[in-house]
Each structure stands twice: as structure tokens, then as C-alpha cells.
Amino acid sequence: MPYWVFGFHQCRWGYRDFVEVSQVIANYSAAGIPLETMWTDIDYMKSRWTFTTDPDYFPLNRMREIVKYLHDHNQQYILMMDPAVAYQPNKGYDAFDRGVAEDIFLKNPNGSLYLGVVWPGLTVYPDWFHPKALSYWTDEILRFFDESNGINVDGIWIDMNEVANFCDFPCPDPRQVAIDRNMPPPRPRDPPAKDTHIFPQQRNIYPTVGALNPPSAIGSRFPSTPIVDILDPLNVKGNVFSSQPTVDVLNPPYSIANAYSTLSSKTAAVNIIHQNGLVEYDTHNLYGTMMSSATRDAMLERRPGERVLIITRSTFAGAGRKVGKWLGDNRSTWEHYRNSIAGTLGFASVYQMPMVGADVCGFFDNTTETLCARWATLGAFHPFYRNHNAEDSKSQEYYLWESVTEAAKNAISIRYRLLDYLYTHFHRASIDGTPVINPLWFMYPKDANTYGIDLQFLFGDSILVSP
């Protein structure tokens, strides 16, 4: 992981335009709260089309101005990406047209494009088992995030990659589903003037992690071990599983208690045959991790020699070697505040996903001042530390309340003093899997008194956190 990743991150689904994004950045600086990385959700896209910017709400030249400002102040910028590519034939949508030309999208058993419904409306999805999928995805990332004429991001955030689909199976008319769900959703207000002035003429009044360097001697402490990447699309051959299902995969004899009744609802149909002959029924759980791996590889090609941050929603065993994870859409409740401890401990200490954390202050519903202050403190002792909430919830940036500002400053100050300690534990985790945070019983397995303690944990192996 890059050293700056361990700083504080701010995001929201619902920053309406480039002016609002710039105001949040400036407000954190004015409040003296160290903001390491600014994030933008799918709001920046034109009609929610992947690899686009909205020319009125997020014009490319103003987005580039924001990124330059952040980089000039040793801060970073991250954008959201979804796997679903808008189905827009003959509309001049390059990401779709190039994918069709390379023939890399998922197909129905009859050979036609598999169509789903996501935020852009009617969509198609990359087939990560296609031998050209990785080069297609890399090319799109290199084009869109080009340092000279694109958005020069420092990391990528991946959502909806289970893969998500708003259709209920069998979904005979996905086009009508998109219309009925009003996808893509309309903008709630008019765009700002494109020449609106952004950012006050001031420098940051606090140091950022991006201005610091990681410990220099840490790399030689542990031996390195070569690892075979079993999730590389080009390493998974068609003979791993049967290429022709021997059962009715749409109605399998063993039926799990699926929340959406059938395995093909709200996701890709399980009878899809991938380009190499594998059946989606056998490979479904790999989709998100294969996309994440492809995205990381593309970002490494974009910035050779530099480490990158990829945060993803869907993961599979082994994903923690390449990417980080956030725990998904939680709620602004004390119950979910407590649940975030178990969720983070589970992924960091059991599932080998060390860069993990919850949406601080909660995603859905409205947080309270007290809850957000407490969560700002708790989140500072989780590996991934980001404030994020939904568009229909009230704003919850730390600077909106005096007590939350104070709590965040204190917690971030402690976290930043422990950066080398945390970084060392991350390095050790990358070598031998030692958890970066621990349930108490991990460290004291013979002490039965620790078995039931689920609201305390160890930050690293020596610092007790009691939120």
C-alpha cells in the first residue's frame, strides 16, 4: 500500500458538482482537519456512463483543476468505477464501442450480449475470462485517467462488482425495467456556471501523509515469497470446471436461501457461458476480485513503480493481496457502529484483507453529532479510515460540528503519530499474514475471559482500543 493510504479519506454519494467537491476540500483545510484523500462517487459521470465526465456538472477541465490543487497540497484524489458499461450502440460512446469491437462483454447462451440494468440504465458487463478483457480494461483506464489530458487519480474505488443488476430474473425486458426505475436518475438541480471560482488562495495549515515518507528500512526485515496469482484471468483455463453444465443451473438441485429467491436475480444470470467455456454458475464469486485485480494491474501500468490503492466491494479468497475493501452500505446507528468492529476484525484478521474499514458515521440515515464524534474516533483505529454517506442523508463532514471536529483532530493526531507502527504491521501482514488488528483472544488464546470480548481489539499487537 502507498503510505498516504493510511491518512483520512472523505467521500459522499451526492456531491452534486465540481463546486461542491472543491468546497468540501477547502472546508477541511479551513477547519484544520487533515484530509489526505478526496473521493467522488458516480455523480461525476455523464448519465452514469463509466469512463465519462458530465460536461455540465463535472467538466473535465474543472476536474483537472481540482486534482492539480490536491496534488499541489500533497493530497490525493480517487474516483468511483463500476463494471457495468452503458449499452449505447451508435451513440459515440467509446468504452462501449471498443468493447463490442473486441467482443469482450458477457453473452447469453445464444451468443447475444447479456443485458442488465444498473445506474446508466441498460448495460453490458466485461467478461474477465476473455483473453482481451485485461487489455481492453487497461486501455480504457490509461485513456480516461491520462495524466496529460484526463483525470490524474491516485487510486480507484470499485462498486457494484458482484456483479450487480437491478433486474429480477428472468427479466425478459431489461429496457423497460430501466425505464420503470428511471435509470439513469435525473440531476436534482441545475449545474453551476462552468467558470465558477473554486478554492481560496491559501495553503494547507497542516501536514499530510502524502508529504511524508514511509520507513526506509522496512523492506529488508522479512524474506519475500513468490506467490502465484490464481485469480489472474489469463491463468484460469477452461478445463478447471466443466464447460457444459450437467444440471439445470438456473434451478439447481441444491438451492441456497438466496435473499432474492433465485441465484440469477439482481446479478448476472448463472447460465452465462464465459468466453473460455466456464459457466457463470461456477465462477460467479470470482467476478469482483477479477475486476479488482485487472484494475490494479492497469493502474500499475499507468504509474510504473508506484503503489496504488484499489478499494472494492466484492471480494474472494486471496483478494487482500492486491486490493482493499470497505464493508459496504451500513447505517448511522449505534448498532452498526458496534458491528463495524466485528466486520473489520473479521476481514483483517481472518480473511486476510488488511486494508479494510466501515463507512465512518454511517452511510444510510442521518447521523447524530455524538455518534459521528465517537465513530470518527473509532474509525481512526481501523486500517481504512473514510467518512462516507448517502445522497439522501444529511451531510456529515467532520467540520460541521465543533465536537466532531475536536474528536477527529485528536484521533487523527494519534493515528498519524502511529503511522510507522501501522505501516510496519502492514508489511509483516504482506509477508506472513500476521493480522494488522487483532481480537483479544487472538493474542491471548488461553485466557477464556477474552473469548466474549467483541467491543475491544488490538491495533497492531500492542495498543488496546476500547471504543
Side-chain angles (χ1 to χ4, degrees):
M1 290 290 172
Y3 203 54
W4 57 262
V5 167
F6 300 101
F8 166 64
H9 304 253
Q10 175 62 48
C11 185
R12 184 181 185 180
W13 174 30
Y15 288 138
R16 303 302 185 188
D17 50 56
F18 72 94
V19 175
E20 191 167 350
V21 171
S22 68
Q23 288 172 341
V24 172
I25 297 169
N27 287 341
Y28 267 106
S29 181
I33 302 173
L35 172 64
E36 187 63 33
T37 307
M38 187 67 194
W39 299 48
T40 304
D41 210 307
I42 56 175
D43 310 279
Y44 75 92
M45 299 177 184
K46 172 189 174 183
S47 300
R48 303 298 193 263
W49 297 4
T50 297
F51 298 114
T52 68
T53 58
D54 190 292
D56 297 316
Y57 291 85
F58 292 88
L60 179 59
N61 65 315
R62 304 313 303 269
M63 295 288 281
R64 286 178 55 80
E65 182 181 349
I66 289 173
V67 175
K68 183 180 185 304
Y69 179 92
L70 288 168
H71 288 171
D72 287 347
H73 291 76
N74 295 311
Q75 294 168 287
Q76 287 73 40
Y77 191 54
I78 289 178
L79 285 178
M80 155 83 76
M81 288 183 63
D82 289 346
V85 176
Y87 179 78
Q88 294 291 333
N90 305 313
K91 295 289 182 66
Y93 177 30
D94 292 338
F96 173 78
D97 293 340
R98 285 190 285 260
V100 170
E102 296 288 352
D103 196 30
I104 57 88
F105 294 126
L106 291 177
K107 292 184 178 181
N108 292 304
N110 65 7
S112 63
L113 287 176
Y114 176 78
L115 300 179
V117 178
V118 196
W119 298 113
L122 210 58
T123 61
V124 292
Y125 306 91
D127 180 354
W128 302 112
F129 290 102
H130 194 291
K132 295 183 178 180
L134 182 58
S135 61
Y136 159 79
W137 197 248
T138 298
D139 182 62
E140 295 302 322
I141 285 177
L142 293 179
R143 290 172 184 267
F144 187 66
F145 298 117
D146 181 77
E147 182 177 354
S148 300
N149 52 37
I151 304 177
N152 187 23
V153 296
D154 303 283
I156 290 178
W157 169 30
I158 303 172
D159 195 16
M160 312 291 283
N161 59 331
E162 291 77 18
V163 60
N165 180 3
F166 294 152
C167 269
D168 291 313
F169 186 79
C171 197
D173 190 356
R175 190 182 305 273
Q176 187 59 48
V177 172
I179 294 172
D180 293 343
R181 292 185 62 111
N182 203 22
M183 296 295 169
R187 297 280 182 176
R189 68 187 187 198
D190 292 335
K194 292 184 179 180
D195 60 352
T196 301
H197 177 73
I198 58 176
F199 297 125
Q201 297 300 312
Q202 65 178 32
R203 303 291 293 178
N204 277 0
I205 60 175
Y206 53 82
T208 61
V209 179
L212 306 176
N213 294 314
S216 59
I218 203 168
S220 61
R221 286 181 153 187
F222 303 96
S224 61
T225 304
I227 302 174
V228 176
D229 185 1
I230 63 171
L231 297 177
D232 185 331
L234 301 182
N235 285 343
V236 184
K237 307 304 181 183
N239 60 1
V240 175
F241 306 102
S242 169
S243 62
Q244 296 297 326
T246 57
V247 298
D248 178 5
V249 295
L250 294 176
N251 301 283
Y254 175 71
S255 181
I256 66 172
N258 196 46
Y260 294 114
S261 69
T262 67
L263 293 177
S264 297
S265 282
K266 305 297 187 183
T267 189
V270 296
N271 65 338
I272 288 173
I273 306 296
H274 290 276
Q275 194 277 339
N276 63 350
L278 298 182
V279 184
E280 175 65 10
Y281 179 83
D282 292 323
T283 66
H284 173 81
N285 288 346
L286 296 176
Y287 193 95
T289 292
M290 292 179 75
M291 178 189 177
S292 302
S293 180
T295 303
R296 179 180 181 271
D297 291 347
M299 287 291 285
L300 289 174
E301 183 169 333
R302 176 176 167 268
R303 288 183 175 178
E306 293 189 28
R307 298 178 181 182
V308 300
L309 174 66
I310 307 296
I311 293 291
T312 182
R313 188 168 83 178
S314 177
T315 56
F316 189 71
R321 177 183 169 231
K322 288 191 172 184
V323 301
K325 177 184 179 66
W326 98 105
L327 296 179
D329 301 342
N330 57 5
R331 293 189 177 277
S332 298
T333 65
W334 287 106
E335 179 184 12
H336 281 210
Y337 165 88
R338 292 188 293 270
N339 289 348
S340 72
I341 300 172
T344 301
L345 284 172
F347 275 93
S349 60
V350 179
Y351 313 136
Q352 293 293 296
M353 184 72 60
M355 181 52 70
V356 62
D359 286 341
V360 172
C361 299
F363 182 73
F364 288 121
D365 306 326
N366 294 324
T367 192
T368 65
E369 180 176 354
T370 301
L371 175 60
C372 198
R374 289 282 294 278
W375 214 328
T377 303
L378 169 62
F381 293 94
H382 286 168
F384 177 54
Y385 183 29
R386 184 186 67 165
N387 182 337
H388 177 51
N389 72 322
E391 62 175 354
D392 55 355
S393 303
K394 72 179 184 180
S395 297
Q396 60 185 36
E397 290 79 14
Y398 291 162
Y399 54 75
L400 294 174
W401 301 277
E402 184 176 346
S403 67
V404 180
T405 297
E406 181 180 1
K409 284 182 177 180
N410 290 338
I412 293 172
S413 176
I414 295 172
R415 180 182 176 94
Y416 281 19
R417 294 175 191 179
L418 295 171
L419 282 179
D420 287 359
Y421 170 84
L422 179 59
Y423 194 85
T424 300
H425 281 81
F426 260 81
H427 178 71
R428 186 166 64 185
S430 73
I431 298 302
D432 61 15
T434 300
V436 296
I437 58 175
N438 294 273
L440 295 188
W441 64 269
F442 265 39
M443 304 304 294
Y444 304 99
K446 296 182 179 181
D447 186 350
N449 293 316
T450 66
Y451 298 170
I453 299 176
D454 60 353
L455 298 179
Q456 294 178 317
F457 59 94
L458 286 165
F459 186 66
D461 58 8
S462 303
I463 298 176
L464 178 65
V465 180
S466 301

